[in-house]
Amino acid sequence: MRTRPGRGVMRDDSEPTPVDIALTQFEVIEGLEIQSVAAEPDISQPLFISWDSRGRMWVVQYRQYQFPAGLKIVRYDQHLRAVFDRVPEPPPLGTPGADKVTVFEDTDGDGVYDSHKDIITGLNIASSVQVGHGGIWVLNPPYLLFYPDANQDDVPDADPEVHLAGFGLQDTHSVANSLTWGPDGWLYGCNGSTTVGDVSSAVTKGVRFQGQCVWRYHPDTKVFEIYAEGGGNNFSLEIDSKGRVFTGTNGGNTRGYYFPQGSYSEKNWGKHGPLTNPYAFGFFHAMKFDGDGRRFPQAFCIYEGGLLPTEYEQGIIAPNSLHNLVWHSQRIPDGSTYRTVDLPNLLETSDRWFRPVYAGVGPDGAVYMADWYDSRLSHVSPVDDWHKESGRIYRVVPSDASPSYQQGDLNKASNEELMSYFSHQNKWVRQRAVLELGWRGDAAVTEPLIKLVDEQASLEALWALSMIGRFDATLASRWLSHSDAHIRRWVVRLLGDRHEDHSGLAVMAATEPDVQVRSQLAATAKRLSPAVGLDIVAALLRHENDAHDPHMPLMNWWAIEAHADVWPAVATMFADKSIWNLSMVKHDVLRRLIQRYASASDDENLHHCAQLIEMAPDDEARALLIQGIDMAYQGRAIPQLPISLDRALAEYKASLGESNLILSLRRGDSRAIVDAIELLASPQSNLPLAIEAANVFGEIHHPDATKNLLALATGNRTSEPALQRVAIASLRKYDAASIGTTLLASFGSRVSEEHGLRAAAFRTLASRPVWALQLLEELTQWRLQRDHVPYDVIQQLRTYEDPQIAEQVKRVFGPISTTATPEQILETNRLREMLAATPGDAQAGKKIFAKACGVCHQLFGEGSKIGPPLDGYERGKIGFWVDSIVLPNLEIREGYQSYVVLTEDGRVINGVIAEQTPTTVTVRNADSQTTMIARDEIETLQALPTSLMPSGLLNEYSDEQIRDLHAYLSLGAR
């Protein structure tokens, strides 16, 4: 054992197991075996693998990780992302890094990579490599580099050309990665969760995004675009044999994401910000799954290699570097998307150094894995103590097979040979043959390719036709009615990629039987002219079965939203009264459409709101539109409305014979304010409406509501805890000193803690300086017990810079440090030894977990979800638990970072960010209560360096109890 420099956190210090012995430690599913392909000293820290047209294996060695060479971190931004002193120059300029690209070759065709050589060295945070189209493409953020190599002698003909610039470097475990040739001739890639991008090419300028996306770049047209957004820390990319796009993720409870073109998937909203489209108003979730919910399936591939037994075809292979195993899952259609079901694990090992970070299918049909091979996995510590000398590449093959690549150099194959490979059993061979044929641009193959599409439904032939520029409108018209759904889908896709209107698309949309083709029609509709695009969507909306599809309602909405700026086209679409009665229009479109116009808030867009209300054929549709306007102004007051919209709202209210209280309240209507205050005075008659009104009074400042909110908060007018909690939270909007004294009198230590009301009161007291001082005075005078104050409230009090408050907090709660103290280091050492020496009682530990951990964390399906669920972590490692509990600030899990919001009116609010939009930020506190704040009311939004978890969590427990807790936490872990 040894101590990690700097913070003094200990890590396992076992030496790496020699590769021949490591192989014996794998438990591989029957019928398969694992083989070593390469290992140290030939490689170390392998991150990515690809193959060229000769079947040679190209490996990126990510040896510079974790910090770029030649750069200095000058600070960390408010989201704890590194800010460097400058932008590095593209290699070979600037300070050379330790990363390199190495090629491995099987010189005699026996399936063994028997030679290797370094091709490019001195790279600086290089994440992936692809070969083709005249040279070597290296993704080296912030750049995409092209090394020309016309004669393919592996010696670049010149210094690299910069094709893309602007990928982020703020966090080198989530940079742009996984450069992959698409079968359509584009280069695709991912971007991880925490790096921002402002990417430009020779043609495309300033494509900005905050992490979490799939992007693509066309080497000939120089166009760069976001293909789809969201998905977590995407650090793998797969394009299947039908050209569908998937990624793995660093989350749990899924095997990854499926990305339709132009779609939006969920993000971690805190440090990663809102979606690039402020009017998306929705997002997709990861593929549903049935199986092992532990984190994380970040390496991900779909097996279509033809070598493994047939039961593996179309299945997902997902290595898990956290738990030293490789999952195997079925991929099952779920409407237009997919769900997965776990099968028995492909392999497992007791070797804790096994850290697979890449998975892919090679030219020989084997499953290849890049093994980072290190006892360390966490990237949080700034200390560069990675085991730089280790790394392996493995492949999984049938026990009775000796795989090798048999096709020779595809670059030298004839056109006829390449087309013959379109039916090869291995997807890699098929798609590589497409690329080689496409890069030649030989028009002589046009007719044979057309015949292959006509007679064999060859997607490969269609892709090749597109690459050589021979796919045209005539062929599109012919194949829009092709018997094969994948051909139809890709014809629709290629028309959209070319932004080419086609009159047949709307006709097709009306009768198309395949839901994935309909999904692509919606994606393509975004990329065409408004008239044609909206005609397509109008037809798609009539497929009533799609109303229950996991993706189709939003795909259709996003197609409409893409053209919302062209009001005449939208007005023409909704002039058809029959469209208003369609399920997806009523449930998924109307509220979003008017919300989109209302959110823009300028006179022209607000006039469109009035026009929509006027066009509505009935009261039901008008009610949905009014709800959409209400949604647009959640968390903020409705601005002065143009006369046309004001009149439309008034007419709507008159038609109902009653006022819409909440909407009128947001508008600042004086009658509505009086009515809402009266409602708070006697809320029992309409409790749900009273809760909604109290919540609005917490978003919009109406001082006359203070008295009634305070009466509700203290239980003088209600015994309903839900309404009390809302009233307590809403009082944060008001600044009367009497609020603090009243809450303290009502929820002090003498009052029993029921329904979380005292904790809610303390959170409100901590939100304004004057109340915070009142709370601290009670604590200083011992009239309040310190252990009654929730830890998140202590964390919030520590954010005040006022010297008087800061001194009081330090006196009451002591100082805090984000680094380990000598005492904590000694305690971690003691606990490690104590837990290793004597086991505990898991059953007794379960009760301790419920009290100490379960209030925030979930394990085995029990507990709360305020903090990250614990099932997916390395629960068998003593060091993980000791460091996490004694030193909670060492690593704060993504998505659970705490933020503090300082508002213009002096409030301080803290918690995790539950959602961000262009107009609001929603913060969720430790009580799972949310506060929506208008962006124009926010003075600062700052990430906190401390965890919501207190550092002295174990202080009240005996060694026996700690052993019992550890026994329960590690129950069932290897």
Side-chain angles (χ1 to χ4, degrees), residues 635-637 698-701 733 901-907 919 932-940:
R636 55 188 181 133
E699 297 172 358
I700 302 167
H701 189 266
K733 189 73 176 178
V901 179
L902 175 62
T903 65
E904 296 285 355
D905 64 353
R907 286 175 293 155
T919 56
M932 183 180 289
I933 312 142
R935 282 191 181 275
D936 58 11
E937 295 180 5
I938 295 175
E939 183 174 313
T940 61

Side-chain angles (χ1 to χ4, degrees), residues 753-817:
E753 171 67 325
E754 286 189 272
H755 307 295
L757 296 176
R758 185 170 62 204
F762 285 172
R763 291 182 179 105
T764 291
L765 288 166
S767 69
R768 288 187 178 272
V770 62
W771 304 339
L773 279 171
Q774 292 171 352
L775 173 61
L776 288 164
E777 180 63 23
E778 294 296 297
L779 290 163
T780 302
Q781 298 300 321
W782 297 93
R783 289 190 288 268
L784 281 180
Q785 296 180 36
R786 298 177 189 185
D787 59 2
H788 284 176
V789 182
Y791 187 72
D792 65 292
V793 173
I794 301 171
Q795 184 188 56
Q796 186 166 340
L797 291 169
R798 293 188 189 279
T799 64
Y800 284 101
E801 296 180 357
D802 178 273
Q804 185 180 2
I805 295 177
E807 180 58 34
Q808 286 256 50
V809 171
K810 186 176 180 180
R811 186 185 317 157
V812 174
F813 299 109
I816 192 169
S817 173

Side-chain angles (χ1 to χ4, degrees), residues 654-676:
S655 73
L656 296 179
E658 59 183 13
S659 65
N660 185 312
L661 179 65
I662 300 304
L663 183 64
S664 299
L665 189 58
R666 290 192 185 283
R667 294 178 62 200
D669 184 275
S670 58
R671 180 68 257 171
I673 295 172
V674 171
D675 290 346

Side-chain angles (χ1 to χ4, degrees), residues 209-225:
F209 55 89
Q210 294 193 54
Q212 295 173 290
C213 68
V214 176
W215 51 265
R216 65 178 189 163
Y217 171 71
H218 199 286
D220 296 325
T221 65
K222 308 296 190 291
V223 170
F224 173 85
E225 63 183 28

Side-chain angles (χ1 to χ4, degrees), residues 98 149 241 544 581 809 834 850 925:
D149 184 17
S241 61
E544 290 289 344
N581 292 319
V809 171
M834 182 264 288
N925 67 17

